[in-house]
Amino acid sequence: MEIHVIRHTAVENPENLCYGFSDIPLRNDFSEDFNEVIIDEKFDKIFSSPSGRCILLAEHFKLNYKTDERLREMNFGDWEMKKWTDIPKEEIHPWYEDFVQIKATGGENLLEMQNRVLNFWNELTSETNADKVLIITHGGVIRLILQSILQFPLENIFKIQIDYGKKMIIEFNEGHFSVKKLNV
């Protein structure tokens, strides 16, 4: 199975807001960004995060997709759409120290997000009737997929650059994964 995983294009966030589950808009010139996105024509299955920033990309390319809640970005709970600098220090400092275990107030931690993403991923890779799959999602989801394949420590997850509007291509064959391309 060949799996293409693409990140939505850049968002409009001049205030440096904390967002994950929130439907923050794409940048004003998103149609120009879409012209830079390279998506193959034929896929057996296409999945998208239900976030508007992902669905817009799927609809632009007139893809026949299904949304899956498990492909959402991290849920930052009460922090959603607040400036990072406005989140109380007594809440955010523990999260900075251990974002793997500590939750955003009212949100989820990285282990919980990993559980839902890998639930989707394991279900997908156990399928036998798809040769080529496209997933439209978020940077955090893509990093968690990579982490599950490469088995590096979760605390190193943000050391991987996942570019907006770019994709990763993974080959899955006889129970083995191979990351073929990243940020193409």
Short mmCIF file of all heavy atoms in Angstrom, two decimals, residues 6-59:
data_model
loop_
_atom_site.label_atom_id
_atom_site.label_comp_id
_atom_site.label_asym_id
_atom_site.label_seq_id
_atom_site.Cartn_x
_atom_site.Cartn_y
_atom_site.Cartn_z
N ILE A 6 -0.81 14.39 3.51
CA ILE A 6 -0.54 15.79 3.20
C ILE A 6 -1.05 16.69 4.32
O ILE A 6 -2.10 16.44 4.91
CB ILE A 6 -1.15 16.18 1.84
CG1 ILE A 6 -0.64 17.55 1.41
CG2 ILE A 6 -2.66 16.12 1.86
CD1 ILE A 6 -0.92 17.86 -0.05
N ARG A 7 -0.27 17.72 4.60
CA ARG A 7 -0.68 18.73 5.57
C ARG A 7 -1.43 19.84 4.86
O ARG A 7 -1.06 20.24 3.75
CB ARG A 7 0.54 19.32 6.28
CG ARG A 7 0.19 20.29 7.39
CD ARG A 7 1.41 20.85 8.06
NE ARG A 7 1.03 21.66 9.21
CZ ARG A 7 1.88 22.39 9.91
NH1 ARG A 7 3.16 22.43 9.58
NH2 ARG A 7 1.46 23.10 10.93
N HIS A 8 -2.47 20.36 5.49
CA HIS A 8 -3.20 21.50 4.94
C HIS A 8 -2.23 22.65 4.67
O HIS A 8 -1.11 22.68 5.19
CB HIS A 8 -4.32 21.95 5.89
CG HIS A 8 -3.80 22.36 7.24
ND1 HIS A 8 -3.27 23.61 7.48
CD2 HIS A 8 -3.72 21.68 8.40
CE1 HIS A 8 -2.88 23.69 8.74
NE2 HIS A 8 -3.14 22.53 9.33
N THR A 9 -2.67 23.62 3.89
CA THR A 9 -1.83 24.78 3.59
C THR A 9 -1.81 25.76 4.78
O THR A 9 -2.51 25.55 5.77
CB THR A 9 -2.33 25.47 2.30
OG1 THR A 9 -3.70 25.84 2.47
CG2 THR A 9 -2.17 24.56 1.08
N ALA A 10 -1.02 26.80 4.66
CA ALA A 10 -0.77 27.73 5.77
C ALA A 10 -2.04 28.44 6.24
O ALA A 10 -2.94 28.74 5.45
CB ALA A 10 0.26 28.77 5.36
N VAL A 11 -2.09 28.69 7.53
CA VAL A 11 -3.23 29.35 8.15
C VAL A 11 -2.96 30.85 8.34
O VAL A 11 -1.81 31.29 8.32
CB VAL A 11 -3.60 28.71 9.51
CG1 VAL A 11 -4.00 27.25 9.32
CG2 VAL A 11 -2.46 28.82 10.51
N GLU A 12 -4.03 31.59 8.58
CA GLU A 12 -3.94 33.01 8.89
C GLU A 12 -3.93 33.13 10.41
O GLU A 12 -4.95 32.91 11.06
CB GLU A 12 -5.15 33.75 8.29
CG GLU A 12 -5.07 35.25 8.34
CD GLU A 12 -3.99 35.82 7.43
OE1 GLU A 12 -3.70 35.24 6.37
OE2 GLU A 12 -3.45 36.87 7.81
N ASN A 13 -2.77 33.46 10.97
CA ASN A 13 -2.65 33.50 12.43
C ASN A 13 -1.68 34.61 12.86
O ASN A 13 -0.67 34.34 13.51
CB ASN A 13 -2.18 32.14 12.95
CG ASN A 13 -2.26 32.03 14.46
OD1 ASN A 13 -2.80 32.90 15.14
ND2 ASN A 13 -1.69 30.96 14.99
N PRO A 14 -1.98 35.86 12.51
CA PRO A 14 -1.05 36.94 12.86
C PRO A 14 -0.94 37.19 14.36
O PRO A 14 0.04 37.78 14.83
CB PRO A 14 -1.64 38.16 12.13
CG PRO A 14 -3.09 37.85 11.99
CD PRO A 14 -3.17 36.35 11.82
N GLU A 15 -1.92 36.76 15.13
CA GLU A 15 -1.92 37.00 16.58
C GLU A 15 -1.19 35.89 17.34
O GLU A 15 -1.14 35.93 18.56
CB GLU A 15 -3.37 37.08 17.08
CG GLU A 15 -4.21 38.12 16.38
CD GLU A 15 -4.20 39.44 17.10
OE1 GLU A 15 -3.97 39.46 18.32
OE2 GLU A 15 -4.40 40.46 16.42
N ASN A 16 -0.67 34.89 16.62
CA ASN A 16 0.00 33.73 17.24
C ASN A 16 -0.92 33.05 18.26
O ASN A 16 -0.58 32.90 19.43
CB ASN A 16 1.33 34.12 17.87
CG ASN A 16 2.18 32.91 18.18
OD1 ASN A 16 2.04 31.85 17.55
ND2 ASN A 16 3.05 33.04 19.16
N LEU A 17 -2.09 32.66 17.77
CA LEU A 17 -3.08 31.99 18.61
C LEU A 17 -2.78 30.51 18.73
O LEU A 17 -2.26 29.89 17.81
CB LEU A 17 -4.49 32.17 18.02
CG LEU A 17 -4.97 33.60 17.81
CD1 LEU A 17 -6.32 33.60 17.10
CD2 LEU A 17 -5.06 34.34 19.14
N CYS A 18 -3.15 29.94 19.85
CA CYS A 18 -3.09 28.51 20.07
C CYS A 18 -4.30 27.90 19.37
O CYS A 18 -5.43 28.31 19.63
CB CYS A 18 -3.13 28.21 21.57
SG CYS A 18 -3.25 26.47 21.98
N TYR A 19 -4.07 26.98 18.48
CA TYR A 19 -5.19 26.34 17.80
C TYR A 19 -4.85 24.88 17.51
O TYR A 19 -3.70 24.51 17.36
CB TYR A 19 -5.55 27.07 16.50
CG TYR A 19 -4.50 26.93 15.42
CD1 TYR A 19 -4.60 25.92 14.46
CD2 TYR A 19 -3.40 27.77 15.36
CE1 TYR A 19 -3.63 25.77 13.48
CE2 TYR A 19 -2.43 27.63 14.39
CZ TYR A 19 -2.54 26.63 13.45
OH TYR A 19 -1.58 26.47 12.49
N GLY A 20 -5.86 24.08 17.45
CA GLY A 20 -5.74 22.67 17.12
C GLY A 20 -7.09 22.24 16.57
O GLY A 20 -7.30 22.18 15.37
N PHE A 21 -8.04 21.99 17.47
CA PHE A 21 -9.41 21.62 17.07
C PHE A 21 -10.14 22.79 16.43
O PHE A 21 -11.05 22.59 15.63
CB PHE A 21 -10.19 21.15 18.31
CG PHE A 21 -10.27 19.66 18.47
CD1 PHE A 21 -9.16 18.85 18.29
CD2 PHE A 21 -11.46 19.06 18.82
CE1 PHE A 21 -9.24 17.48 18.45
CE2 PHE A 21 -11.55 17.68 18.98
CZ PHE A 21 -10.44 16.89 18.80
N SER A 22 -9.77 24.01 16.78
CA SER A 22 -10.49 25.19 16.27
C SER A 22 -10.35 25.31 14.77
O SER A 22 -9.33 24.95 14.19
CB SER A 22 -9.95 26.46 16.92
OG SER A 22 -10.20 26.44 18.30
N ASP A 23 -11.37 25.88 14.16
CA ASP A 23 -11.34 26.08 12.72
C ASP A 23 -10.77 27.45 12.39
O ASP A 23 -11.49 28.39 12.06
CB ASP A 23 -12.74 25.91 12.11
CG ASP A 23 -12.85 24.65 11.30
OD1 ASP A 23 -11.81 24.16 10.82
OD2 ASP A 23 -13.97 24.14 11.16
N ILE A 24 -9.47 27.56 12.50
CA ILE A 24 -8.77 28.77 12.13
C ILE A 24 -8.73 28.83 10.60
O ILE A 24 -8.59 27.80 9.95
CB ILE A 24 -7.36 28.80 12.77
CG1 ILE A 24 -6.72 30.17 12.65
CG2 ILE A 24 -6.47 27.71 12.19
CD1 ILE A 24 -5.52 30.37 13.56
N PRO A 25 -8.89 30.02 10.02
CA PRO A 25 -8.93 30.09 8.55
C PRO A 25 -7.54 29.90 7.92
O PRO A 25 -6.51 30.16 8.54
CB PRO A 25 -9.46 31.49 8.27
CG PRO A 25 -9.08 32.29 9.47
CD PRO A 25 -9.11 31.32 10.64
N LEU A 26 -7.56 29.45 6.67
CA LEU A 26 -6.33 29.43 5.89
C LEU A 26 -5.93 30.86 5.58
O LEU A 26 -6.75 31.78 5.67
CB LEU A 26 -6.56 28.66 4.58
CG LEU A 26 -6.83 27.17 4.74
CD1 LEU A 26 -7.15 26.55 3.38
CD2 LEU A 26 -5.67 26.45 5.40
N ARG A 27 -4.67 31.05 5.22
CA ARG A 27 -4.20 32.41 4.92
C ARG A 27 -4.99 32.98 3.76
O ARG A 27 -5.58 32.24 2.95
CB ARG A 27 -2.70 32.46 4.71
CG ARG A 27 -2.18 31.85 3.47
CD ARG A 27 -0.64 31.97 3.39
NE ARG A 27 -0.24 31.83 2.01
CZ ARG A 27 0.01 32.82 1.19
NH1 ARG A 27 -0.06 34.06 1.61
NH2 ARG A 27 0.36 32.60 -0.06
N ASN A 28 -5.05 34.29 3.67
CA ASN A 28 -5.88 34.98 2.68
C ASN A 28 -5.62 34.54 1.24
O ASN A 28 -6.54 34.49 0.43
CB ASN A 28 -5.72 36.50 2.80
CG ASN A 28 -6.27 37.02 4.12
OD1 ASN A 28 -7.17 36.42 4.70
ND2 ASN A 28 -5.71 38.10 4.61
N ASP A 29 -4.38 34.23 0.91
CA ASP A 29 -4.03 33.82 -0.45
C ASP A 29 -4.00 32.30 -0.59
O ASP A 29 -3.19 31.75 -1.33
CB ASP A 29 -2.66 34.39 -0.84
CG ASP A 29 -2.68 35.91 -0.92
OD1 ASP A 29 -3.76 36.47 -1.18
OD2 ASP A 29 -1.62 36.52 -0.75
N PHE A 30 -4.92 31.61 0.10
CA PHE A 30 -4.87 30.15 0.12
C PHE A 30 -5.04 29.54 -1.27
O PHE A 30 -4.50 28.48 -1.54
CB PHE A 30 -5.87 29.54 1.10
CG PHE A 30 -7.32 29.66 0.71
CD1 PHE A 30 -7.92 28.71 -0.08
CD2 PHE A 30 -8.08 30.72 1.17
CE1 PHE A 30 -9.25 28.80 -0.43
CE2 PHE A 30 -9.42 30.82 0.84
CZ PHE A 30 -10.01 29.86 0.03
N SER A 31 -5.75 30.21 -2.18
CA SER A 31 -5.91 29.63 -3.53
C SER A 31 -4.56 29.57 -4.24
O SER A 31 -4.31 28.64 -5.00
CB SER A 31 -6.93 30.41 -4.35
OG SER A 31 -6.56 31.75 -4.47
N GLU A 32 -3.69 30.54 -3.98
CA GLU A 32 -2.33 30.49 -4.53
C GLU A 32 -1.56 29.32 -3.92
O GLU A 32 -0.82 28.63 -4.62
CB GLU A 32 -1.59 31.80 -4.26
CG GLU A 32 -2.10 32.97 -5.04
CD GLU A 32 -1.39 34.26 -4.69
OE1 GLU A 32 -0.26 34.21 -4.16
OE2 GLU A 32 -1.97 35.33 -4.94
N ASP A 33 -1.75 29.10 -2.62
CA ASP A 33 -1.10 27.97 -1.96
C ASP A 33 -1.57 26.64 -2.56
O ASP A 33 -0.77 25.72 -2.74
CB ASP A 33 -1.39 27.97 -0.46
CG ASP A 33 -0.77 29.14 0.26
OD1 ASP A 33 0.16 29.78 -0.29
OD2 ASP A 33 -1.20 29.43 1.40
N PHE A 34 -2.86 26.55 -2.88
CA PHE A 34 -3.40 25.32 -3.46
C PHE A 34 -2.72 25.00 -4.79
O PHE A 34 -2.56 23.83 -5.14
CB PHE A 34 -4.91 25.44 -3.67
CG PHE A 34 -5.72 25.35 -2.40
CD1 PHE A 34 -7.09 25.50 -2.46
CD2 PHE A 34 -5.15 25.12 -1.16
CE1 PHE A 34 -7.88 25.41 -1.31
CE2 PHE A 34 -5.91 25.04 -0.01
CZ PHE A 34 -7.28 25.19 -0.08
N ASN A 35 -2.34 26.03 -5.54
CA ASN A 35 -1.67 25.81 -6.83
C ASN A 35 -0.31 25.15 -6.67
O ASN A 35 0.21 24.56 -7.62
CB ASN A 35 -1.52 27.12 -7.59
CG ASN A 35 -2.86 27.68 -8.04
OD1 ASN A 35 -3.82 26.94 -8.25
ND2 ASN A 35 -2.93 29.00 -8.18
N GLU A 36 0.28 25.25 -5.49
CA GLU A 36 1.59 24.65 -5.22
C GLU A 36 1.49 23.21 -4.73
O GLU A 36 2.49 22.50 -4.66
CB GLU A 36 2.34 25.49 -4.18
CG GLU A 36 2.57 26.93 -4.57
CD GLU A 36 3.48 27.06 -5.78
OE1 GLU A 36 4.49 26.34 -5.84
OE2 GLU A 36 3.15 27.88 -6.67
N VAL A 37 0.29 22.79 -4.37
CA VAL A 37 0.08 21.45 -3.82
C VAL A 37 0.06 20.43 -4.96
O VAL A 37 -0.59 20.63 -5.99
CB VAL A 37 -1.24 21.38 -3.02
CG1 VAL A 37 -1.54 19.96 -2.57
CG2 VAL A 37 -1.17 22.33 -1.82
N ILE A 38 0.77 19.33 -4.74
CA ILE A 38 0.83 18.27 -5.75
C ILE A 38 0.09 17.04 -5.19
O ILE A 38 0.52 16.46 -4.19
CB ILE A 38 2.29 17.90 -6.08
CG1 ILE A 38 3.01 19.13 -6.63
CG2 ILE A 38 2.33 16.73 -7.07
CD1 ILE A 38 4.51 18.96 -6.74
N ILE A 39 -1.02 16.72 -5.85
CA ILE A 39 -1.80 15.55 -5.45
C ILE A 39 -1.98 14.66 -6.68
O ILE A 39 -2.39 15.13 -7.74
CB ILE A 39 -3.18 15.94 -4.88
CG1 ILE A 39 -2.98 16.70 -3.55
CG2 ILE A 39 -4.05 14.71 -4.66
CD1 ILE A 39 -4.26 17.08 -2.85
N ASP A 40 -1.65 13.38 -6.54
CA ASP A 40 -1.86 12.42 -7.62
C ASP A 40 -3.34 12.34 -7.97
O ASP A 40 -4.19 12.76 -7.19
CB ASP A 40 -1.36 11.03 -7.21
CG ASP A 40 0.15 10.98 -7.03
OD1 ASP A 40 0.80 12.03 -7.12
OD2 ASP A 40 0.67 9.89 -6.80
N GLU A 41 -3.63 11.76 -9.10
CA GLU A 41 -5.02 11.70 -9.55
C GLU A 41 -5.80 10.52 -9.02
O GLU A 41 -6.98 10.62 -8.76
CB GLU A 41 -5.06 11.70 -11.08
CG GLU A 41 -4.64 13.04 -11.66
CD GLU A 41 -4.81 13.08 -13.16
OE1 GLU A 41 -5.59 12.29 -13.71
OE2 GLU A 41 -4.14 13.92 -13.77
N LYS A 42 -5.19 9.37 -8.86
CA LYS A 42 -5.92 8.15 -8.53
C LYS A 42 -5.58 7.66 -7.12
O LYS A 42 -4.42 7.40 -6.82
CB LYS A 42 -5.58 7.04 -9.53
CG LYS A 42 -6.01 7.33 -10.95
CD LYS A 42 -7.37 6.78 -11.18
CE LYS A 42 -7.74 6.94 -12.64
NZ LYS A 42 -9.01 6.42 -12.96
N PHE A 43 -6.62 7.54 -6.30
CA PHE A 43 -6.49 6.95 -4.97
C PHE A 43 -7.66 5.99 -4.76
O PHE A 43 -8.78 6.27 -5.19
CB PHE A 43 -6.50 8.03 -3.87
CG PHE A 43 -5.28 8.90 -3.85
CD1 PHE A 43 -5.28 10.13 -4.49
CD2 PHE A 43 -4.13 8.47 -3.21
CE1 PHE A 43 -4.15 10.93 -4.48
CE2 PHE A 43 -3.00 9.27 -3.20
CZ PHE A 43 -3.00 10.48 -3.84
N ASP A 44 -7.39 4.90 -4.08
CA ASP A 44 -8.46 3.96 -3.75
C ASP A 44 -9.33 4.50 -2.62
O ASP A 44 -10.53 4.27 -2.60
CB ASP A 44 -7.88 2.60 -3.34
CG ASP A 44 -7.08 1.98 -4.48
OD1 ASP A 44 -7.59 1.95 -5.61
OD2 ASP A 44 -5.94 1.52 -4.22
N LYS A 45 -8.70 5.20 -1.69
CA LYS A 45 -9.42 5.77 -0.55
C LYS A 45 -8.80 7.11 -0.21
O LYS A 45 -7.58 7.29 -0.30
CB LYS A 45 -9.36 4.86 0.67
CG LYS A 45 -10.08 3.55 0.45
CD LYS A 45 -10.16 2.75 1.71
CE LYS A 45 -10.96 1.50 1.38
NZ LYS A 45 -11.55 0.90 2.50
N ILE A 46 -9.65 8.05 0.22
CA ILE A 46 -9.19 9.37 0.62
C ILE A 46 -9.87 9.73 1.93
O ILE A 46 -11.09 9.63 2.06
CB ILE A 46 -9.51 10.43 -0.45
CG1 ILE A 46 -8.84 10.06 -1.78
CG2 ILE A 46 -9.06 11.82 0.02
CD1 ILE A 46 -9.26 10.91 -2.95
N PHE A 47 -9.06 10.15 2.91
CA PHE A 47 -9.55 10.54 4.22
C PHE A 47 -9.10 11.96 4.50
O PHE A 47 -8.01 12.37 4.11
CB PHE A 47 -9.01 9.62 5.32
CG PHE A 47 -9.39 8.19 5.14
CD1 PHE A 47 -8.53 7.31 4.50
CD2 PHE A 47 -10.60 7.71 5.62
CE1 PHE A 47 -8.87 5.97 4.32
CE2 PHE A 47 -10.95 6.38 5.45
CZ PHE A 47 -10.08 5.51 4.80
N SER A 48 -9.93 12.70 5.24
CA SER A 48 -9.59 14.06 5.63
C SER A 48 -9.98 14.28 7.09
O SER A 48 -10.99 13.75 7.56
CB SER A 48 -10.32 15.07 4.75
OG SER A 48 -10.06 16.40 5.20
N SER A 49 -9.20 15.10 7.75
CA SER A 49 -9.63 15.65 9.03
C SER A 49 -10.90 16.44 8.76
O SER A 49 -11.04 17.05 7.69
CB SER A 49 -8.54 16.57 9.58
OG SER A 49 -9.07 17.43 10.56
N PRO A 50 -11.83 16.48 9.72
CA PRO A 50 -13.03 17.29 9.52
C PRO A 50 -12.81 18.80 9.67
O PRO A 50 -13.74 19.58 9.47
CB PRO A 50 -13.99 16.76 10.59
CG PRO A 50 -13.13 16.14 11.61
CD PRO A 50 -11.89 15.68 10.93
N SER A 51 -11.60 19.21 9.99
CA SER A 51 -11.30 20.64 10.12
C SER A 51 -11.44 21.32 8.76
O SER A 51 -11.01 20.78 7.73
CB SER A 51 -9.88 20.85 10.63
OG SER A 51 -9.75 20.33 11.93
N GLY A 52 -12.02 22.51 8.79
CA GLY A 52 -12.24 23.26 7.55
C GLY A 52 -10.98 23.45 6.73
O GLY A 52 -11.03 23.42 5.50
N ARG A 53 -9.84 23.66 7.37
CA ARG A 53 -8.60 23.89 6.64
C ARG A 53 -8.16 22.68 5.84
O ARG A 53 -7.43 22.82 4.86
CB ARG A 53 -7.50 24.40 7.57
CG ARG A 53 -7.17 23.56 8.77
CD ARG A 53 -6.34 24.37 9.78
NE ARG A 53 -5.91 23.62 10.93
CZ ARG A 53 -6.60 23.52 12.07
NH1 ARG A 53 -7.76 24.12 12.18
NH2 ARG A 53 -6.11 22.85 13.09
N CYS A 54 -8.60 21.49 6.22
CA CYS A 54 -8.30 20.28 5.46
C CYS A 54 -9.37 20.03 4.40
O CYS A 54 -9.07 19.68 3.26
CB CYS A 54 -8.21 19.07 6.40
SG CYS A 54 -6.82 19.18 7.54
N ILE A 55 -10.63 20.22 4.77
CA ILE A 55 -11.74 19.98 3.84
C ILE A 55 -11.65 20.92 2.63
O ILE A 55 -11.92 20.51 1.51
CB ILE A 55 -13.08 20.12 4.58
CG1 ILE A 55 -13.26 18.92 5.52
CG2 ILE A 55 -14.24 20.21 3.60
CD1 ILE A 55 -14.47 19.00 6.42
N LEU A 56 -11.24 22.17 2.85
CA LEU A 56 -11.10 23.11 1.73
C LEU A 56 -10.13 22.56 0.68
O LEU A 56 -10.37 22.70 -0.52
CB LEU A 56 -10.60 24.47 2.22
CG LEU A 56 -11.66 25.47 2.66
CD1 LEU A 56 -11.00 26.69 3.27
CD2 LEU A 56 -12.54 25.87 1.50
N LEU A 57 -9.05 21.96 1.13
CA LEU A 57 -8.06 21.40 0.21
C LEU A 57 -8.68 20.22 -0.56
O LEU A 57 -8.54 20.12 -1.78
CB LEU A 57 -6.82 20.96 0.97
CG LEU A 57 -5.63 20.49 0.14
CD1 LEU A 57 -5.12 21.61 -0.77
CD2 LEU A 57 -4.51 20.02 1.05
N ALA A 58 -9.37 19.34 0.14
CA ALA A 58 -10.01 18.19 -0.50
C ALA A 58 -11.04 18.65 -1.52
O ALA A 58 -11.12 18.09 -2.63
CB ALA A 58 -10.66 17.30 0.56
N GLU A 59 -11.81 19.65 -1.18
CA GLU A 59 -12.84 20.13 -2.09
C GLU A 59 -12.25 20.88 -3.28
O GLU A 59 -12.78 20.80 -4.39
CB GLU A 59 -13.86 20.97 -1.34
CG GLU A 59 -14.68 20.09 -0.40
CD GLU A 59 -15.73 20.83 0.40
OE1 GLU A 59 -15.79 22.08 0.34
OE2 GLU A 59 -16.50 20.14 1.09
#
